[in-house]
Amino acid sequence: MKKSLGVKPYLFPMPVLLISTYDENGTVDVMNMAWGGICAENMVALNLDESHKTSDNLKVKKAFTISVADVAHIREADFFGIASGAKMADKFEKTGLHAVKSEFVDAPVIEEFPLTLECTVEEIQHGPEGFRVIGKIQNTLADESVLDENGKVDPTKLNAFVFDQFQNGYYAIGEKVGQAWHSGADLMHK
């Protein structure tokens, strides 16, 4: 039997996305968010509160990077969700992480995170649902340590983690349990 829980944002897994921007002075700002993801082959959507420093930076610079954090950097990634760049000028420096300027967009790339999408802001939407940024992926960077022998990202090497909306936990992911477009193919012939 199922129990009704009411209106809850209960999907699992939720990504842990690290959104990196520069402010008008070139200061690195990183925000941890779960309410976003891929929305087309070369597009991403970010749903955030407009009061964030990151939101201001997105409006000014029209560029950002999205990184996937690994378990080795869970402490720093979580800190980026706790601390506000609007209230803490040295937020990024406190983590000890390193940033370099993207070659493709006017945004920082955090060197320690193994996978990064470099994006430009294509559209900013204001609506009853809130503040949404649609970005176009200009390039993807992956640390060689997470690539397989064919040069593709190997999720088991990525050592990523996800967020759970149920109890506010982080969970490591990576075990392959099936093959897309194959695991259920036998049902096509029933």
Side-chain angles (χ1 to χ4, degrees), residues 33-120:
M33 67 171 288
W35 297 62
I38 300 295
C39 64
E41 184 74 20
N42 63 343
M43 304 294 281
V44 296
L46 309 177
N47 298 297
L48 29 130
D49 190 302
E50 199 163 1
S51 66
H52 289 295
K53 176 141 182 73
T54 298
S55 299
D56 292 339
N57 296 347
L58 290 165
K59 292 176 196 174
V60 171
K61 292 293 187 170
K62 306 286 190 214
F64 60 98
T65 60
I66 299 177
S67 295
V68 173
D70 55 1
V71 173
H73 297 96
I74 195 168
R75 180 174 169 248
E76 294 87 349
D78 187 57
F79 173 74
F80 289 136
I82 297 169
S84 167
K87 297 176 182 171
M88 186 180 291
D90 61 346
K91 175 181 169 180
F92 182 72
E93 289 75 20
K94 284 182 181 267
T95 66
L97 298 179
H98 304 90
V100 296
K101 187 175 184 326
S102 163
E103 292 182 34
F104 291 86
V105 300
D106 190 11
V109 173
I110 310 309
E111 292 184 306
E112 288 81 0
F113 296 149
L115 183 64
T116 302
L117 305 178
E118 300 167 283
C119 305
T120 52

Side-chain angles (χ1 to χ4, degrees), residues 3-186:
K3 180 181 177 182
S4 176
L5 299 177
V7 178
K8 303 283 185 189
Y10 282 176
L11 283 180
F12 185 81
M14 293 287 288
V16 175
L17 305 175
L18 285 300
I19 311 304
S20 301
T21 57
Y22 287 127
D23 70 8
E24 65 280 352
N25 300 315
T27 302
V28 175
D29 181 57
V30 184
M31 173 186 179
N32 176 330
M33 67 171 288
W35 297 62
I38 300 295
C39 64
E41 184 74 20
N42 63 343
M43 304 294 281
V44 296
L46 309 177
N47 298 297
L48 29 130
D49 190 302
E50 199 163 1
S51 66
H52 289 295
K53 176 141 182 73
T54 298
S55 299
D56 292 339
N57 296 347
L58 290 165
K59 292 176 196 174
V60 171
K61 292 293 187 170
K62 306 286 190 214
F64 60 98
T65 60
I66 299 177
S67 295
V68 173
D70 55 1
V71 173
H73 297 96
I74 195 168
R75 180 174 169 248
E76 294 87 349
D78 187 57
F79 173 74
F80 289 136
I82 297 169
S84 167
K87 297 176 182 171
M88 186 180 291
D90 61 346
K91 175 181 169 180
F92 182 72
E93 289 75 20
K94 284 182 181 267
T95 66
L97 298 179
H98 304 90
V100 296
K101 187 175 184 326
S102 163
E103 292 182 34
F104 291 86
V105 300
D106 190 11
V109 173
I110 310 309
E111 292 184 306
E112 288 81 0
F113 296 149
L115 183 64
T116 302
L117 305 178
E118 300 167 283
C119 305
T120 52
V121 172
E122 294 299 303
E123 185 178 348
I124 292 178
Q125 301 171 351
H126 295 89
E129 303 83 27
F131 181 68
R132 176 174 294 137
V133 175
I134 306 298
K136 184 174 184 181
I137 301 167
Q138 301 296 334
N139 188 50
T140 302
L141 294 170
D143 192 280
E144 289 182 10
S145 67
V146 302
L147 300 178
D148 66 14
E149 61 278 353
N150 298 315
K152 292 188 175 186
V153 175
D154 180 342
T156 63
K157 294 179 178 182
L158 197 54
N159 205 17
F161 59 95
V162 295
F163 174 66
D164 95 76
Q165 291 278 105
F166 315 114
Q167 299 175 4
N168 297 328
Y170 293 124
Y171 292 83
I173 58 170
E175 178 186 357
K176 186 174 182 177
V177 294
Q179 184 65 40
W181 299 285
H182 182 74
S183 293
D186 64 313

